[in-house]
Amino acid sequence: MGFTLPKNYSSLSIEEREEWTEIKRSFDKLRKVYHITKGKRPILRDFLMINEKEKPAHVNTYNFKKDSEEFKTCIIQYRIRYNEASVRGGSIRTATHKYLLGFKKTKKDFGKTYLRPETIGDKISEFFQPIELDITGLEKFNRRYYLLANDKKKFLNAINPEFLKYVSELKNLEMEFSGQNCLFRFNKAFDFQQTQDLCKLGIKMSELHK
C-alpha cells in the first residue's frame, strides 16, 4: 500500500487538511517515477539534526524504489506553540509543520559526519580555528557546504567522490552520517521541487554506495 491520508483527516484543522492534501499531491506525482510502499520505521534517535531541540513526532515511513535502487522517506511533524495577540489579550495557538526526510542504510561505515550549507559565520570561524573538512579537488562543494567528521579517514574511504560532486550542485541540503546510516533533508517544510531532489539524492546514494 502506498501513501494514504491519516485516519483522522476529516477532524483536522483546515490548515492541516490543506497540508496533508498537498503532501498527497506530491506523492501522487512521485508514483509516476518510483514504486512507493509503506515501510518500517528506521531508528532515528542517533541523529542530532532532528533531536537537538524539540523532538519531532514520526508520522509515516515509505520505501521508494526505482529499478534496483531504493531508500526510505520519513514524514516527521513538529508541533509549535505560539501566542496570537488580540484586543482581548490573545491566546496560545498550536501549528504543525511536516518535513520529509530521506534515509539510507549502506554497507559502508562513514563514522559520525555532518554536512550543511556553509554560512559567513563558518567562513570567519574557519579563518581563526580551522576544523572543517575540505575535500581536495571539489572546490564548489567546499564553498557551498560545511562538513564535519569525527574520523576524516573513515569518511573519505567510505564516501564516493562522485556523490559529493552530485551534492555540490544542490542547495540547502543537510545530511548526517551515523555509521552505516545516512539521514538527509532540505530546508523547506514540504516543497515539491525539493522533494524531487531528495528522491533523486536517495537513488544516487543507493547507486554509489553498495
Side-chain angles (χ1 to χ4, degrees):
M1 181 183 295
F3 179 86
T4 56
L5 292 170
K7 294 179 180 179
N8 65 337
Y9 174 80
S10 60
S11 63
L12 297 175
S13 67
I14 294 175
E15 291 81 6
E16 284 194 88
R17 291 202 302 270
E18 289 176 347
E19 187 177 28
W20 274 115
T21 299
E22 188 58 37
I23 292 172
K24 186 177 185 305
R25 288 196 192 102
S26 294
F27 269 71
D28 286 344
K29 292 177 183 178
L30 293 170
R31 285 174 55 198
K32 298 176 182 179
V33 180
Y34 306 95
H35 180 59
I36 305 173
T37 58
K38 278 283 187 71
K40 183 179 179 181
R41 175 182 178 178
I43 298 174
L44 302 178
R45 61 174 176 265
D46 293 332
F47 291 96
L48 298 177
M49 77 183 204
I50 61 168
N51 291 308
E52 283 187 311
K53 298 179 181 179
E54 180 183 352
K55 291 187 178 182
H58 174 267
V59 180
N60 274 321
T61 295
Y62 295 92
N63 301 316
F64 275 62
K65 187 172 184 179
K66 183 179 181 182
D67 299 325
S68 61
E69 311 301 339
E70 58 185 335
F71 69 102
K72 292 179 182 288
T73 64
C74 301
I75 298 176
I76 62 170
Q77 175 177 280
Y78 289 93
R79 188 172 294 276
I80 300 171
R81 293 167 61 87
Y82 64 95
N83 291 320
E84 184 175 68
S86 72
V87 293
R88 297 182 179 180
S91 59
I92 297 177
R93 301 285 300 275
T94 61
T96 61
H97 297 286
K98 296 170 184 62
Y99 288 82
L100 187 67
L101 307 177
F103 176 89
K104 179 62 184 175
K105 183 176 180 65
T106 75
K107 294 181 180 180
K108 306 285 187 178
D109 185 352
F110 297 91
K112 194 69 175 175
T113 305
Y114 178 63
L115 176 154
R116 64 167 168 78
E118 186 161 62
T119 66
I120 186 63
D122 296 328
K123 296 180 185 295
I124 293 172
S125 64
E126 279 293 300
F127 180 80
F128 294 100
Q129 186 178 3
I131 57 174
E132 180 190 9
L133 172 58
D134 284 332
I135 308 298
T136 303
L138 295 179
E139 286 74 18
K140 186 172 184 178
F141 174 86
N142 295 332
R143 290 195 305 270
R144 180 162 285 179
Y145 284 103
Y146 189 73
L147 180 65
L148 297 174
N150 70 343
D151 190 325
K152 177 181 178 180
K153 184 176 180 180
K154 180 181 286 188
F155 178 76
L156 292 178
N157 285 339
I159 198 72
N160 187 315
E162 290 301 314
F163 181 74
L164 295 181
K165 288 181 182 179
Y166 183 85
V167 167
S168 68
E169 300 300 323
L170 301 173
K171 294 181 179 179
N172 302 311
L173 173 66
E174 186 177 10
M175 301 186 73
E176 185 175 344
F177 299 85
S178 183
Q180 295 179 321
N181 299 323
C182 177
L183 192 68
F184 45 99
R185 70 177 178 187
F186 287 91
N187 64 328
K188 294 183 181 179
F190 227 105
D191 174 84
F192 183 65
Q193 181 57 57
Q194 288 190 348
T195 298
Q196 288 182 301
D197 290 340
L198 184 139
C199 291
K200 293 176 182 177
L201 181 69
I203 294 299
K204 184 65 69 173
M205 184 77 187
S206 178
E207 288 177 352
L208 297 177
H209 299 93
K210 300 292 187 182

